Amino acid sequence: MAEGTTTNAGWFERATAVIPGGVDSPVRSFRSVGGTPYTVVEGHGALVRDVEGTEYLDLVQSYGASLLGHAHPVVIEAIRTAALKGTTFGAPTPGEVLLAEAIVARVPGLEQVRFVSSGTEAVMSAVRLARGATGRDKIVKFDGCYHGHADHLLVAGGSGVAELGLPGSAGVPLAAVADTIVAPYNQVPTLSDDVACVLVEPVAANMNLVKPVAGFLEGLRAECDRVGALLIFDEVITGFRLSQGGAAEFTGVTPDLWCFGKVIGGGLPVGAFGGSAALLASLAPAGPVYQAGTLSGNPLATAAGLAVLSSVTAADYEELANRAQRFGRDLCGAIRDGGLWACVPAVGPLLGLYVAPPGDWSAPSDYAGAKVIADTGIYPAFFHAMLRRRVALAPGAYEILFVSMAHTDAELDRVVTAAGEVAVEVAREL
Ligand SMILES: *Cc1c(COP(=O)(O)O)cnc(C)c1O
């Protein structure tokens, strides 16, 4: 560490001078909760330590990129072994073949994948492939689902009947989103026959956690088939976290294209998209849809990803889901006992966390519902009171809780205890 700077405030001040907003991804800033982010120097298992030496029980886990917990020895060893042989070549490597085989073997219906370097790239490329393969331009996405920061997917749509979206960011031209249709989550839109693809998070995990209602994914599958559109599952969060085979296995609905990221890189930058061999044949060099990447299939990243996938079994996922769900019930109970309203939806090991002042709120089933809870505005106080008790939640009301395979029952119990105290504290201030 550079001499002189020993505090979170000091590092953030230096960061802000040379990095816009002091962060390389806006979710890391404390913009929506106030205050100064902690600057992490290391993490092990369920814990992270900041520059001041404070240790937090970490429920961020790199927004889901970490499945085994931080600095898992098997992953570190895989990276070390790979690094000793060289970090990138610009030629095919065995590592990318091994990871592709591991992915294809685990996901029912998936035949081929191509690696990229982020989830954003995976979705961007899958959408291009869908457009190229169908010869159609229009795409459908759902309000509150996040698919990375490509122009045509950065759309803030209103809910209600499916409508043409408006850009959700400055710098995104109207023309870039003109073919993006935004529909409310959990309602099957009626598609016209000029739609190339329907893009969906099979479990919505970027508007806090919203479960797909019974029939939603099945309905999308049927509606896509009716008009010849492709169904794309954005499994950047659900892939290799919901279960060994991801959301397709978990829900029994099979998409035409999958997007992966986060877990499959073992903490290094990776994404992948895939589908049937017939569909992927449209990609260059075999087909007319161009897609490329200097660092795609990087040896370090594929080695780390393979180490993660190889070290977890179907039983591990079941155990993780059981542990997370027990924790979720206890957490919800503790917050409610403390005097706030709470809802902790669970899908497999994925947990949401909605907190609100006491009242007659209901569990959200779409973005509009999630926004109602977030707009009560008590999350920032809840977040900071948890942080003071050394529990790191994500600094935003639309994020979910990530319980890694390294989180022990004892550690999760500590979170429950803290949350109970925090609820009392926050309720008192209302
Ligand atoms: C994180 C995320 C992305 C974007 O992945 P990056 O690696 O951040 O580019 C895309 N889709 C979903 C569902 C995500 O959660």
Side-chain angles (χ1 to χ4, degrees):
M1 205 186 305
E3 268 175 68
T5 305
T6 55
T7 62
N8 289 315
W11 275 105
F12 195 59
E13 194 186 321
R14 282 176 65 175
T16 306
V18 287
I19 298 171
V23 290
D24 284 315
S25 194
V27 289
R28 296 176 201 168
S29 85
F30 276 21
R31 191 58 60 98
S32 77
V33 292
T36 303
Y38 49 93
T39 295
V40 172
V41 282
E42 63 182 296
H44 297 278
L47 302 173
V48 294
R49 192 159 61 83
D50 71 13
V51 293
E52 298 177 5
T54 305
E55 269 193 340
Y56 304 91
L57 219 157
D58 182 32
L59 289 165
V60 181
Q61 295 288 320
S62 192
Y63 292 89
S66 160
L67 178 65
L68 302 183
H70 301 296
H72 192 282
V74 168
V75 178
I76 300 303
E77 193 46 42
I79 295 171
R80 192 199 312 275
T81 304
L84 288 172
K85 297 178 186 166
T87 55
T88 179
F89 304 107
T93 59
E96 62 201 317
V97 181
L98 296 175
L99 182 57
E101 287 173 350
I103 289 172
V104 164
R106 282 163 176 74
V107 177
L110 179 63
E111 293 175 357
Q112 293 194 340
V113 286
R114 175 164 285 173
F115 291 110
V116 291
S117 298
S118 68
T120 295
E121 273 184 85
V123 182
M124 200 178 80
S125 305
V127 169
R128 182 179 303 152
L129 175 58
R131 284 172 157 168
T134 58
R136 303 173 180 180
D137 290 341
K138 295 217 182 303
I139 60 179
V140 173
K141 77 171 285 285
F142 295 91
D143 199 12
C145 284
Y146 180 67
H147 301 293
H149 61 90
D151 278 0
H152 51 288
L153 301 174
L154 269 186
V155 181
S159 49
V161 190
E163 59 181 348
L164 285 182
L166 292 173
S169 164
V172 174
L174 262 175
V177 298
D179 288 319
T180 305
I181 298 163
V182 180
Y185 197 77
N186 270 331
Q187 294 176 40
V188 179
T190 300
L191 302 179
S192 51
D193 61 9
D194 56 355
V195 170
C197 60
V198 172
L199 174 61
V200 67
E201 285 184 76
V203 177
N206 283 286
M207 45 174 143
N208 211 312
L209 195 76
V210 173
K211 303 179 193 188
V213 296
F216 175 56
L217 298 173
E218 292 81 355
L220 293 182
R221 178 69 277 175
E223 186 61 8
C224 282
D225 290 344
R226 190 182 68 79
V227 299
L230 300 179
L231 179 60
I232 308 181
F233 275 5
D234 180 347
E235 293 222 45
V236 171
I237 284 183
T238 55
F240 307 98
R241 178 170 294 275
L242 210 46
S243 76
Q244 205 164 32
E249 179 186 72
F250 194 86
T251 64
V253 176
T254 306
D256 299 294
L257 287 168
W258 283 255
C259 307
F260 300 108
K262 298 193 170 117
V263 168
I264 64 160
L268 276 76
V270 182
F273 63 103
S276 69
L279 191 48
L280 275 277
S282 291
L283 275 186
V289 179
Y290 194 71
Q291 187 282 328
T294 301
L295 295 177
S296 295
N298 176 265
L300 263 58
T302 50
L306 185 63
V308 172
L309 298 197
S310 308
S311 57
V312 289
T313 63
D316 291 330
Y317 282 102
E318 226 163 273
E319 198 185 311
L320 180 64
N322 289 337
R323 194 175 336 128
Q325 292 188 13
R326 201 244 342 134
F327 164 59
R329 285 190 295 273
D330 291 352
L331 181 66
C332 189
I335 299 171
R336 287 182 174 222
D337 289 348
L340 295 177
W341 182 86
C343 168
V344 181
V347 183
L350 292 172
L351 297 176
L353 171 61
Y354 297 96
V355 287
D360 191 18
W361 311 100
S362 49
S365 61
D366 58 13
Y367 179 67
K371 189 171 183 313
V372 167
I373 307 292
D375 284 351
T376 65
I378 69 164
Y379 187 76
F382 189 87
F383 166 85
H384 279 292
M386 289 298 280
L387 199 61
R388 284 195 294 278
R389 287 167 178 80
R390 301 188 176 187
V391 175
L393 306 174
Y398 291 105
E399 308 297 340
I400 67 170
L401 305 174
F402 287 102
V403 177
S404 81
M405 301 242 177
H407 287 72
T408 63
D409 282 330
E411 285 169 327
L412 296 173
D413 286 345
R414 183 159 97 59
V415 176
V416 170
T417 305
E421 292 170 15
V422 162
V424 172
E425 184 180 313
V426 172
R428 205 187 301 130
E429 306 282 299
L430 288 173

